[in-house]
Amino acid sequence: MATVVVGVTGGVAAFKAPIVVREFQRAGHDVYVAATRASLNFVGRSTWEGITSRPVAVDIAGEGRAEHVELARIADLIIVVPATANTLARLAGGFADDMVSLTVLACAAPVVVAPAMHSNMWLAPATQENVRLLRERGVHIIEPDAGALGSGDSGVGRLPDPVLIARRALAVLQQHRDAQTPLPLAGRTVVVTAGGTREPIDPVRFLGNRSSGRQGLAIAAAAARAGARVRAITANVDDSVANTLPDGVEVTRVGTALQMRDATMEQVRGADALIMAAAVADFRPEQAQTSKMKKDPTTQDAPTLRLVRNPDILAQVGHSSIRPPLVIGFAAETGTDEEIIAFGADKATRKGADYIAVNRVGDRVGFGNVHNDIRLLDASGALVDRYAGSKDDIAAGLIAQLATFLANLKR
């Protein structure tokens, strides 16, 4: 739980601030409100006291107390919503003559500011300069949206959805906390493969599989959140899923098994760990046609498709001189618990991996936007752990285990 101070200033959008407060409370955080006198014309004291169950801080000095100092001391995050043009100017200028500006000036916690005003005021050079100065000082600005304004005009300056404001502010809080706590994979480089390769038959057909790439992308995201530098190699994943990767993840897009092999052998150089979650096709057509294959109208026979084996990327990396210190492979299997563990144990001993994640597929588990069920085996085939649940749950468990493995290895 964190302590959030919500500073409310005298703009018409102040009526949306209680929704922001409610979102922080729903997230389990303790909320205090500091308000300017002008803001009480839009949302009164009784409203704030009813929502927060504590007095709203308005007076700079009252009964010998320095409330701004106390609020600044206990705050883990300050958010000013809405912030008027006047408030932006006061914060940029370092003024401290109302409870909101005074608390911000006295506080060392992260500050988020959500401006709302008429378009002309927002776009005015003076306002834009104040925003620039605040950003330079580390203040997080949630820029206003375009839309209908309180004046009846339309344009940029509208306060964004208060629920989204709260989420953005909580993300800032989490980033600040992460920065204060050493992340388990900080300084590590992790390569993750994701998706399913497609082997062309002709310009319109291919051999492929049902992999969506969701599990590999979830692992890449979890590794990035744990502080790792992540190199993701993706094959035919849905852009709507790939676009959810955190900023900073390096993505190499491939299509076929041969392209996946080449990219993997390049990206693992200097890496600390490789997680091969991609579903790589075992076979490819010996010769892809350069034009679409046609049905022969004179016969009911189908053409014969000659297949050749694709390279075993995991085995190639596992037995190479550029092998990372830690290699985890995935094996999608069907069957009983005993059968899939036996299949995984066989792969673990043959492929030179440190661990094999045996991924049960079929019967509404495994591929796609469904839950997953994974057994993690060591190189001898012994069961190390089991993960079941959503793709994100699996990724979190696997990355936590990976961090432990790397911590026990000498750099």
Side-chain angles (χ1 to χ4, degrees), residues 185 187-194 216-217 219-221 223-224 227-234 245-253 260 263-278 322 324-325:
L185 292 181
R188 301 288 193 176
T189 297
V190 177
V191 179
V192 182
T193 69
L217 293 175
I219 292 169
R229 176 189 178 189
V230 179
R231 302 169 183 167
I233 305 170
T234 64
L245 285 173
D247 292 341
V249 174
E250 303 169 22
V251 179
T252 300
R253 297 177 184 272
M260 174 77 72
T264 303
M265 298 301 282
E266 176 64 28
Q267 295 295 333
V268 296
R269 297 179 185 274
D272 295 286
L274 167 66
I275 304 175
M276 285 211 63
I322 58 172

Side-chain angles (χ1 to χ4, degrees), residues 232-320:
I233 305 170
T234 64
N236 307 297
V237 300
D238 190 324
D239 284 343
S240 65
V241 182
N243 290 339
T244 64
L245 285 173
D247 292 341
V249 174
E250 303 169 22
V251 179
T252 300
R253 297 177 184 272
V254 300
T256 68
L258 293 178
Q259 292 169 351
M260 174 77 72
R261 188 268 314 274
D262 293 344
T264 303
M265 298 301 282
E266 176 64 28
Q267 295 295 333
V268 296
R269 297 179 185 274
D272 295 286
L274 167 66
I275 304 175
M276 285 211 63
V280 181
D282 292 320
F283 307 99
R284 69 180 187 276
E286 183 178 44
Q287 183 66 49
Q289 302 298 312
T290 57
S291 58
K292 181 182 176 182
M293 296 172 63
K294 304 290 187 180
K295 291 185 291 187
D296 186 346
T298 66
T299 179
Q300 293 299 311
D301 294 340
T304 299
L305 193 63
R306 183 176 175 81
L307 302 179
V308 295
R309 291 181 68 124
N310 273 322
D312 187 330
I313 304 173
L314 180 60
Q316 285 192 11
V317 173
H319 296 294
S320 73

Side-chain angles (χ1 to χ4, degrees), residues 11-12 19 36 38 102 170 189 199 202 230 240 273 314 327 342 347 368 379:
V12 67
I19 303 174
T36 65
L102 195 61
L170 290 173
T189 297
E199 312 304 320
D202 61 23
V230 179
S240 65
L314 180 60
V327 175
K347 287 188 177 181

Side-chain angles (χ1 to χ4, degrees), residues 14 36 40 48-49 70 110 117 150 154 160 179 198 202 213 215 224 252 255 311 317 371 390-391 407:
T36 65
L40 298 181
W48 291 126
E49 291 171 1
E70 178 63 15
M117 63 199 72
S154 182
R198 295 177 180 176
D202 61 23
Q215 185 63 80
T252 300
V317 173
H371 279 198
S390 71
K391 299 292 197 295

